Amino acid sequence: MTDIRPRAAVLATIGALGVASSAYFDWFGDNSPRQIRLEQLLMQPDTNGQATSYWLSMAAPLAVAGAIGVLGTLLLVRLLVWLSFLVGLVTVALWATETAFDVAEIQVNDIQPGAWVSLGGLLLLVIGASALRRRRPADAEESAEEDESDDYLAQLKGSQ
């Protein structure tokens, strides 16, 4: 049986939960993702007003990204963790693009905790996803060491 890297799974889980929880903080201009319509995020200019439900807001893709990430770490499937990262990254990138078009000048001080929590969660997802892989079993490590020592002895005998 192979061992997993539990620290990587924990980091990825914290990152996924961070991405999902960022939907409950303000991101910019006292607006939280629960107030931003998903259509507005997809750059449809004729959508005005606040989102009518949670699942029609920007919070939905953040929640989905978090759920996929947690599921990926529980099942130890790197593909799901990477998918979670991509969904979160696309959501943040669309939000940043939409905000950049609406606001003429954005300063770092204007960005509020939700965006920072989301970016931190995405960073933890990347670190966790890249480190979440299986280790070789102890037997395989020992046999690899034996193979290396046998190769070294064969080279010594061949050079004499």
Side-chain angles (χ1 to χ4, degrees), residues 101-156:
F101 281 134
D102 286 349
V103 179
E105 196 172 306
I106 298 175
Q107 296 179 358
V108 176
N109 296 340
D110 295 336
I111 299 173
Q112 294 178 351
W116 295 116
V117 168
S118 181
L119 289 175
L122 289 173
L123 179 65
L124 288 176
L125 270 173
V126 166
I127 293 169
S130 61
L132 184 67
R133 61 178 182 262
R134 297 190 180 274
R135 294 183 190 163
R136 289 193 298 185
D139 297 340
E141 289 176 8
E142 290 174 5
S143 66
E145 290 174 5
E146 290 173 5
D147 290 342
E148 289 175 6
S149 63
D150 290 343
D151 290 341
Y152 179 72
L153 291 174
Q155 288 176 353
L156 284 177

Side-chain angles (χ1 to χ4, degrees), residues 8-9 11-16 19 69 73 78 80-86 88-89 118-133:
L11 280 178
T13 303
I14 292 170
V19 169
T73 57
R78 288 177 68 188
L80 289 177
V81 179
W82 281 113
L83 180 64
S84 170
F85 168 74
L86 289 176
L89 182 66
S118 181
L119 289 175
L122 289 173
L123 179 65
L124 288 176
L125 270 173
V126 166
I127 293 169
S130 61
L132 184 67
R133 61 178 182 262

